Amino acid sequence: MPPSPSKSSDKSDTSSARPRSTWLRWLLRITLWMAGLATAAAVGLALVIAVALAVAYPNLPDISDLADYRPKLPLRVYSAEGALLGEFGEERRNLTPIEDIPKVMKDAVLAIEDARFFQHGGVDYKGVVRAGLANLGRVKSQGASTITMQVARNVYLSSEKTFTRKIYEILLTFKLEHLLTKDQILEIYMNQIFLGNRAYGFAAASEAYFGKPLKSLSIAEAAMLAGLPKAPSAYNPISNPKRARVRQQYIIERMEENGFITAQQAAEAKKEELKIRTGPDNTRVHAEYVAEMARQLIFTQYGNEAYTRGLNVYTTLNAAEQEAAYSALRRGIMDYERRQQYRGPEKFVALPNAPQEVEDAIDDALANHPDNGDVLSAVVLEATPRKILAARANGDTLEITGDGLKPAQSGLSDKAPPNIKIRRGAVIRVVKTPKGAWEITQLPEVEGAFVALDPRNGSIRALVGGFDFDKNKFNHAAQAWRQPGSSFKPFIYSAALEKGFTPATVINDAPLFFDAGVTGGQPWEPKNYDGKYDGPMSMRTGLAKSKNMISIRILQAVGPKTAQEWVGRFGFDPEKHPAYLTMALGAGSVTPLQMAAAYSVFANGGYRVNPWLITKVTDHKGRVISETTPPVTSEQPRAIEARNAFLMNSLLQEVTRSGTAARAQATLKRPDLYGKTGTTNDSVDAWFAGYQPTIAAVTWIGYDTPRNLGSRETGGGLSLPVWISFMERALKGVPVMEPTVPAGVVNVGGEWFYDEYARSAGVSSVGLEDQRSTSPAVTPQAPPPSEERSRILDLFRN
């Protein structure tokens, strides 16, 4: 019988089921083991992390101070009107509360940095894992840090990419989210982040890149700034405009995707042409020397904290007058420079033939010879006696022809020595003339200073310490001790008025000679500037014409020691004005600021004022820390009697009317101008010191290492034009002021006298009220008092 099919089938099924069952059991076991191991590993890892966190958390820095966020804020100096003059500190920063940050700026930052900032708890876990894997694989991180994590890192941690640092960052993030509100965290971020160009925070970046306040930013501008945190150098719109624009366009798209702006706004923003600031801030008031003076004063008081506390220093400076002073002095110095011999190009560079290589060579050359205000640098491409073609750093090509070549004719001559010859590759200076043409020039070697005070209280209204602060930081207005020359004579004349002299006193303008027995050294034969001697003349005429012989004879009569003591009343250091007859010619030492304060004594009726600069200091929130109340003139110490000041005003008014400074009244068309020119021996220093009752101003021009300015260069020709140019702006709208005749002064025959001298001349002060006048004397013909006659005879005999 054949075998049963059913039995055979059962046996086969049983044998095939066993291997399958065994395999499943092993698979299950392996799975369970793996699950167990994974669970154990997870638990172990959790325990390790928990222990690590428990150990690390107590070591986290204290972040409670962030609740009152106070970053390093620079010291800022302002004019009286609030115009920014300068800022000092490593970081440019404008601390801006979150409520003052415009929505468009916040939206742009959130769109690119952390769109879910207000929804998450501080950590984007997916982003952390992705960043960790990227770090393991040593590939570029995907930048998953949230804004809170960036605050933790930027404020407390380094930027190194290690797991330890990442753990601390996460812990700090949790701590920040627990301690601070979202708005506080965002405020810290937007004020703390570095955005290139020394700018920290978006408010500072707005000023640095666009020259405008944060509240004025457009969508396109906000998107440009929002691209900077990732890489301030790579996306800098100044140095890398193309890359910056690509990122800006992407951020605009992100803003649209997140619903911060509409499609139409995005399209308009993408098309907007941005005006990026690429050079120095030309809108800022040129008051570098004043800002430095303020910095030194504040540093003396606050030390290094001055650069981090966000102090705002307000000065007495008038912004418009400061700009007028800056422009006037530079113009005066450049006018003088046009009359000097051309000294040759600043440098010679080899220019290759390939266009791109030429551009690179020009860029390299001009990087070391930057523009100096309106005195621009350029590299010569072609040069002939009739035309110069020169290239600027911005790629512009300039053509100089005609009169524009005259200042450098010696450099265009075929016989010019190599160091002066203008040729291809020469680095030269150019300026634009009032007619819009280009003119070749050179950076001046001569220096200058200008200072203006309010004579009523001594406040500094304008001060320029040199041609250019970046070129020469030495403050000539406050630090340069120079001989004042004839501008010092009024103080000798003032002393003479107290010794019986009057404006009508007649003195002989005749040659003088002093042998070694008188001088105690070398023989001295002083001369008048023009070498001419006009014989007997009044003291008024002698000062108007700046006659040296007159001043020396007056000092002889007054006595050098008496005069030395007298000038101390005006704020001068008597020791710097030795008691010799040379003091009559201004052989001592003064600073321009000192001269302005001294002339203020005449301007304010005889009171001594001390120059001052700072009106108040506030913190970064505007709270006043210190404040100065302007002094009242009448409460200041009296230096000279009111009548002495009045007579000196009359004499100094004559100088600006008919004397060496007659150009002043002729140009400004007003009589209330007073002053004195000054030119030292060998024309080393050129001065003009003068005033109107509301402002006293002094100009000085000379070389740092004293040398001759030129045989025809004088205070009236060099410094007076600068003073006039400034006064045109400073006195605009200021009414003409007539001086009040003080007690003890009378007018006799058109000349002013002290009362007692008028009586001794046979004129009583009683009934003379109708003779009192404020008009300037013209021809001093009044008879001198009897006690003066012997003195006059002595002056004639000498």
Side-chain angles (χ1 to χ4, degrees):
M1 290 183 63
S4 173
S6 60
K7 291 181 179 179
S8 175
S9 176
D10 288 344
K11 187 177 182 180
S12 174
D13 288 346
T14 301
S15 61
S16 64
R18 284 176 184 166
R20 189 179 300 119
S21 173
T22 302
W23 181 81
L24 288 173
R25 284 197 299 271
W26 277 107
L27 180 61
L28 180 60
R29 288 179 181 178
I30 291 173
T31 302
L32 291 173
W33 273 101
M34 291 293 292
L37 288 174
T39 302
V43 171
L45 181 62
L47 289 173
V48 171
I49 293 176
V51 172
L53 294 181
V55 174
Y57 198 85
N59 295 323
L60 293 176
D62 180 15
I63 62 173
S64 59
D65 58 338
L66 280 185
D68 184 20
Y69 175 58
R70 294 182 181 180
K72 291 182 180 179
L73 298 174
L75 167 69
R76 290 189 173 90
V77 182
Y78 297 91
S79 72
E81 306 87 352
L84 182 63
L85 306 180
E87 59 181 345
F88 302 91
E90 295 179 3
E91 303 174 358
R92 293 177 180 169
R93 194 193 301 273
N94 295 325
L95 183 58
T96 308
I98 190 66
E99 60 267 20
D100 294 336
I101 299 175
K103 184 176 183 298
V104 66
M105 189 69 253
K106 289 185 282 190
D107 288 345
V109 169
L110 294 175
I112 190 64
E113 293 294 332
D114 193 353
R116 295 182 58 254
F117 172 72
F118 285 99
Q119 284 78 47
H120 63 61
V123 177
D124 180 352
Y125 296 101
K126 291 182 180 179
V128 171
V129 172
R130 184 173 65 249
L133 292 174
N135 194 49
L136 272 177
R138 301 197 182 279
V139 296
K140 187 177 179 180
S141 172
Q142 300 302 305
S145 294
T146 64
I147 283 178
T148 311
M149 293 170 72
Q150 291 185 56
V151 169
R153 179 171 62 248
N154 292 335
V155 176
Y156 292 107
L157 303 174
S158 67
S159 59
E160 61 177 340
K161 294 183 177 181
T162 65
F163 285 110
T164 301
R165 200 273 303 162
K166 199 67 178 178
I167 290 173
Y168 272 95
E169 182 179 307
I170 294 172
L171 290 176
L172 275 172
T173 297
F174 290 144
K175 203 170 183 179
L176 284 170
E177 289 277 343
H178 176 71
L179 179 68
L180 306 177
T181 66
K182 287 288 189 177
D183 277 346
Q184 285 177 311
I185 294 171
L186 187 59
E187 178 182 292
I188 294 169
Y189 175 81
M190 299 196 74
N191 282 283
Q192 176 73 21
I193 194 75
F194 176 62
L195 300 171
N197 205 23
R198 284 180 53 215
Y200 287 77
F202 288 93
S206 180
E207 293 285 353
Y209 293 108
F210 299 113
K212 60 169 61 175
L214 193 61
K215 63 182 180 181
S216 302
L217 290 180
S218 66
I219 294 173
E221 291 167 335
M224 181 68 78
L225 295 183
L228 290 166
K230 182 177 181 180
S233 176
Y235 299 113
N236 188 312
I238 296 176
S239 57
N240 290 303
K242 291 182 180 179
R243 290 189 66 183
R245 182 164 177 77
V246 170
R247 183 156 176 81
Q248 176 222 32
Q249 300 289 297
Y250 173 65
I251 293 173
I252 293 173
E253 292 172 1
R254 291 283 297 161
M255 292 176 74
E256 181 186 355
E257 290 172 10
N258 284 278
F260 294 137
I261 58 175
T262 66
Q264 182 179 350
Q265 288 175 315
E268 292 173 353
K270 286 186 174 183
K271 295 178 182 177
E272 183 178 334
E273 291 292 330
L274 302 186
K275 295 180 180 179
I276 305 295
R277 174 183 288 170
T278 56
D281 185 2
N282 293 323
T283 62
R284 182 174 293 182
V285 179
H286 287 285
E288 295 84 355
Y289 291 98
V290 175
E292 174 60 17
M293 289 174 68
R295 182 199 69 79
Q296 292 178 17
L297 291 170
I298 296 299
F299 179 78
T300 300
Q301 186 172 359
Y302 296 97
N304 289 325
E305 283 191 359
Y307 308 130
T308 60
R309 289 182 57 179
L311 298 178
N312 299 306
V313 181
Y314 293 88
T315 67
T316 58
L317 213 70
N318 180 287
E321 291 177 7
Q322 177 65 25
E323 278 301 299
Y326 173 82
S327 299
L329 183 63
R330 282 183 67 95
R331 190 182 311 117
I333 289 176
M334 291 307 297
D335 286 344
Y336 170 79
E337 195 58 49
R338 287 187 182 91
R339 300 192 290 272
Q340 306 313 301
Q341 185 74 19
Y342 186 62
R343 295 184 293 274
E346 295 179 15
K347 185 180 180 180
F348 295 95
V349 295
L351 294 183
N353 294 322
Q356 184 57 50
E357 293 179 2
V358 169
E359 291 181 9
D360 293 342
I362 291 172
D363 289 343
D364 292 342
L366 297 185
N368 296 319
H369 297 267
D371 295 341
N372 188 292
D374 56 354
V375 183
L376 310 180
S377 58
V379 176
V380 174
L381 301 177
E382 299 177 18
T384 69
R386 294 187 176 184
K387 183 176 73 172
I388 290 176
L389 286 180
R392 295 265 295 124
N394 62 5
D396 291 348
T397 300
L398 315 179
E399 184 177 298
I400 310 169
T401 58
D403 291 342
L405 299 174
K406 286 184 178 180
Q409 279 297 321
S410 59
L412 294 169
S413 170
D414 292 335
K415 297 180 180 179
N419 63 317
I420 294 178
K421 180 73 173 177
I422 299 175
R423 58 185 184 272
R424 179 177 169 83
V427 178
I428 62 171
R429 294 282 170 171
V430 296
V431 293
K432 190 165 266 188
T433 66
K435 295 181 179 179
W438 290 103
E439 179 181 87
I440 191 169
T441 187
Q442 55 192 346
L443 280 177
E445 292 181 344
V446 75
E447 273 294 354
F450 184 93
V451 59
L453 304 181
D454 186 331
R456 297 164 294 188
N457 57 33
S459 59
I460 297 174
R461 291 172 57 171
L463 185 146
V464 186
F467 179 76
D468 183 80
F469 183 76
D470 291 332
K471 176 174 171 279
N472 187 345
K473 292 179 172 55
F474 182 73
N475 189 340
H476 299 84
Q479 298 174 302
W481 292 92
R482 308 293 293 225
Q483 289 188 345
S486 296
S487 63
F488 196 75
K489 290 177 180 176
F491 307 106
I492 305 300
Y493 278 59
S494 173
L497 292 177
E498 299 303 307
K499 292 296 182 178
F501 281 73
T502 75
T505 301
V506 178
I507 306 163
N508 194 17
D509 178 33
L512 286 167
F513 177 79
F514 302 92
D515 59 28
V518 175
T519 64
Q522 296 295 321
W524 183 42
E525 186 176 8
K527 300 180 183 298
N528 287 327
Y529 174 78
D530 58 7
K532 298 177 182 179
Y533 304 93
D534 297 333
M537 64 177 62
S538 69
M539 194 167 84
R540 175 180 292 277
T541 303
L543 184 62
K545 292 186 175 182
S546 197
K547 290 291 188 176
N548 290 341
M549 301 306 107
I550 301 295
S551 297
I552 293 172
R553 283 189 163 91
I554 289 175
L555 183 56
Q556 276 184 301
V558 170
K561 188 64 178 176
T562 300
Q564 183 190 40
E565 294 173 354
W566 184 260
V567 302
R569 292 168 172 257
F570 296 87
F572 295 116
D573 181 357
E575 293 183 358
K576 291 187 178 294
H577 301 273
Y580 301 114
L581 292 178
T582 51
M583 182 168 53
L585 307 184
S589 296
V590 300
T591 68
L593 183 58
Q594 201 177 50
M595 286 289 279
Y599 269 79
S600 293
V601 175
F602 296 139
N604 65 30
Y607 294 95
R608 169 88 174 271
V609 295
N610 293 314
W612 60 288
L613 179 63
I614 296 176
T615 58
K616 69 176 179 179
V617 179
T618 70
D619 64 14
H620 70 280
K621 292 185 177 179
R623 294 174 296 206
V624 176
I625 297 174
S626 64
E627 193 165 10
T628 302
T629 302
V632 178
T633 305
S634 59
E635 296 177 358
Q636 299 302 300
R638 181 169 280 286
I640 58 177
E641 290 187 5
R643 62 180 188 168
N644 187 300
F646 179 83
L647 260 63
M648 287 308 305
N649 284 342
S650 177
L651 292 172
L652 292 170
Q653 187 180 45
E654 190 67 32
V655 177
T656 65
R657 189 189 73 83
S658 65
T660 55
R663 183 176 174 181
Q665 289 196 34
T667 303
L668 297 175
K669 308 297 183 186
R670 55 190 301 156
D672 58 339
L673 303 175
Y674 314 82
K676 183 69 186 74
T677 54
T679 309
T680 60
N681 194 36
D682 293 329
S683 297
V684 169
D685 299 275
W687 294 81
F688 184 77
Y691 56 91
Q692 189 268 352
T694 64
I695 189 163
V698 173
T699 308
W700 166 83
I701 292 177
Y703 288 98
D704 277 339
T705 302
R707 72 174 197 250
N708 191 291
L709 287 163
S711 59
R712 297 183 179 181
E713 303 294 352
T714 65
L718 267 179
S719 294
L720 177 60
V722 174
W723 188 89
I724 291 173
S725 177
F726 169 79
M727 284 295 190
E728 280 181 327
R729 170 64 185 84
L731 296 179
K732 190 174 183 179
V734 177
V736 172
M737 302 180 69
E738 295 286 349
T740 301
V741 182
V745 175
V746 295
N747 189 283
V748 179
E751 184 57 275
W752 295 102
F753 294 88
Y754 281 5
D755 213 6
E756 60 268 29
Y757 298 149
R759 282 198 298 271
S760 65
V763 180
S764 173
S765 62
V766 178
L768 290 177
E769 286 79 10
D770 60 329
Q771 297 186 44
R772 296 180 185 271
S773 169
T774 58
S775 59
V778 179
T779 308
Q781 298 293 341
S786 57
E787 65 184 64
E788 287 189 12
R789 290 170 184 161
S790 60
R791 183 182 293 109
I792 295 171
L793 290 174
D794 289 341
L795 291 172
F796 268 98
R797 280 193 285 270
N798 289 334

